[in-house]
Amino acid sequence: MAAGGDWWYLGVDLSTQQVKGMVIDDNLNVIHETNVKFDDDLPEFGTQNGVQVQSDKLTITTPVLLWVKALDLLLERMKAANLDFSKLKSLSGSGQQHGSVYWKEGANQTLKNMTADRSLHQILESSFSVKDSPVWMDSSTTEECRQLEKCAGGPQKLADITGSRAYERFTGNQIAKINKKYPEEYKKTERISLVSSFVASIFLGNYAAIDYSDGSGMNLMDIRAHEWSQQCLNACAPGLKEKLGDPLPSHSILGSISPYFVKRFGFSSECKVIAFTGDNPASLAGMRLQQGDIAVSLGTSDTVFLWIEDPRPTLQGHIFCNPVKSNAYMALICFKNGSLTRERIRDESGSVSWDGFTKAMKATSPGNDGNLGFYFDVMEITPSAIGVHRFNGQNCKVSEFSKEIEVRAVVESQALAKRAYAEKLGYKVLKGTRVLATGGASTNLDILQVLADVFNAPVYTIDTANSACLGCAYRAKHGLEAVLGQSFANSVKMAASPKLAVNPICEADKIYCPIVARYQELEKLVRNRS
């Protein structure tokens, strides 16, 4: 293991399919990485892609003890790699958003009295009132969602309070289902954690608070007051506030690490546990977004992260509390039709490679001579629509475009959607705005050029293969420095900077600003026809 600075910081990310650990030094260099893949390393739990799909095909869960055993294995692998745990000054982490864990009565005493001669799995095997945790892929709570929106005064009112309309995967609706379907198990539940605060609780040896950022992905928290909405709690289950505990700022120091880890692995007794958060907020930290930035992940699904100061919740997208700055917010927008749609258009245009795709796009000019398309091969999330819809410059629907126009149309429409929905949530493109691009398509400079032109902002590329885990390590360091008034940006200023990929063309704003407005008007027609 390479020697680093005087102190080290640990980030732990428990995602859908694996748990990762990453250690950085004082200079923000990554000096150690380890992971445990659930399906491969723990086959006895019978998961596929980290989850178990129940017979109704809607209920999707993961055994809580799988996660516990994975932590055992992760730490043992780090120990086998001769990691010097005593050099860790602090740790933080993240968990897949929206998953929930139900601690049984008496579990906190078990956490407080863990003995170092036994594994975590052995110690905690009887500590959960619900054995299988609902995760973000679950879609079995439609009835509970409608009930919550009704109690809140409608979907927009719920979004105004919690940052999102009711979603099946969100924790409040999952808790409502547990209470209704398994009332005895709910009564026996002493504490409900998110996946993030569940892992933090293990390291702390005590129930860990839910942080503001992950807590705002539950349909339960008033995102402006930073406290649970009693109206939403009442709609979901009785006595819920006591079972959740009070949420805390995302940079909070929860306390020192449990003596269990000092004795079993050699952690320093002074090592601090910083509040854990969700994987999406942790990715924002890992990508080091700053005020005014927008991050775009161009993958199977295209995802947009935004730093927002004045949020305007809508029925599409999500507003979360910002994990690295108090009283700021982040927005997340997911577009289901991403790379697979681009690949289909590439193949149907007769191109055998991305070189042919970009050659076809270069045969047209920015703005595509007024031709505009909507490409929803599968039912889109943002907006809720399906099908391919093409419009010429006079807003008349047409059945087909030439292959060159089609190629540019799909790239422009995807970029226009990102800007249109970002602005609906309160994002403003200003001087100094940066677009940070990642994902498979971020290597295509011509696609990035369209993104730069539509946003009228330079596009930078950033390697974020492990952005959530890296963000956790950064947050571990910042949590200690935040007490001294240090900003997150200053804490991580020594990290490698993103690389400038492309600048917008000089006429970009004049070309695309009117098209954004036109896109929004035509989208209304598309939604009505879908």
Side-chain angles (χ1 to χ4, degrees), residues 60 66 127 209 235 248 330 339-340 397 424 436 492-493 515:
I60 301 179
L66 165 62
S127 293
L248 287 179
M330 67 170 283
S339 64
L340 297 182
K397 194 164 186 183
K424 285 181 182 180
L436 305 180
V492 299
K493 63 184 179 183
I515 300 178

Side-chain angles (χ1 to χ4, degrees), residues 181-243:
K181 191 171 182 179
Y182 307 106
E184 290 306 312
E185 286 82 351
Y186 179 79
K187 287 179 184 177
K188 293 176 182 176
T189 298
E190 182 174 80
R191 184 72 168 237
I192 299 174
S193 294
L194 297 179
V195 176
S196 57
S197 59
F198 151 73
V199 182
S201 299
I202 293 175
F203 279 109
L204 191 63
N206 197 358
Y207 291 147
I210 293 171
D211 83 297
Y212 289 163
S213 195
D214 207 6
S216 50
M218 298 172 72
N219 276 147
L220 291 177
M221 198 178 85
D222 184 324
I223 60 170
R224 290 178 173 82
H226 297 100
E227 60 186 29
W228 304 124
S229 163
Q230 193 62 52
Q231 183 180 13
C232 296
L233 295 175
N234 292 344
C236 292
L240 187 48
K241 187 173 184 179
E242 291 71 27
K243 294 181 190 291

Side-chain angles (χ1 to χ4, degrees), residues 105-126:
E105 290 172 344
N108 204 29
Q109 283 304 114
T110 302
L111 283 170
K112 290 179 178 178
N113 296 292
M114 295 189 293
T115 54
D117 59 342
R118 302 175 69 205
S119 68
L120 293 169
H121 178 259
Q122 291 170 325
I123 294 168
L124 298 174
E125 61 182 347
S126 300

Side-chain angles (χ1 to χ4, degrees), residues 244-264:
L244 293 173
D246 294 328
L248 287 179
S250 300
H251 57 72
S252 299
I253 299 175
L254 300 178
S256 297
I257 196 167
S258 164
Y260 172 87
F261 296 95
V262 176
K263 295 174 184 176
R264 189 172 177 92

Side-chain angles (χ1 to χ4, degrees), residues 9 23 35-36 41 58 66 117 122 125 127-128 137 153 156 186 219 231 251 267 276 294 313 382 420 445 516:
Y9 309 89
V23 178
N35 73 327
V36 173
D41 295 319
L58 300 174
L66 165 62
D117 59 342
Q122 291 170 325
E125 61 182 347
S127 293
F128 307 102
M137 296 168 69
Q156 183 60 56
Y186 179 79
N219 276 147
Q231 183 180 13
H251 57 72
F267 279 79
F276 283 36
I294 176 171
T382 317
L445 294 182
V516 173

Side-chain angles (χ1 to χ4, degrees), residues 367-384:
N368 214 9
D369 292 325
N371 295 294
L372 191 60
F374 296 81
Y375 298 86
F376 306 135
D377 290 357
V378 297
M379 179 60 76
E380 184 53 82
I381 300 170
T382 317
S384 179

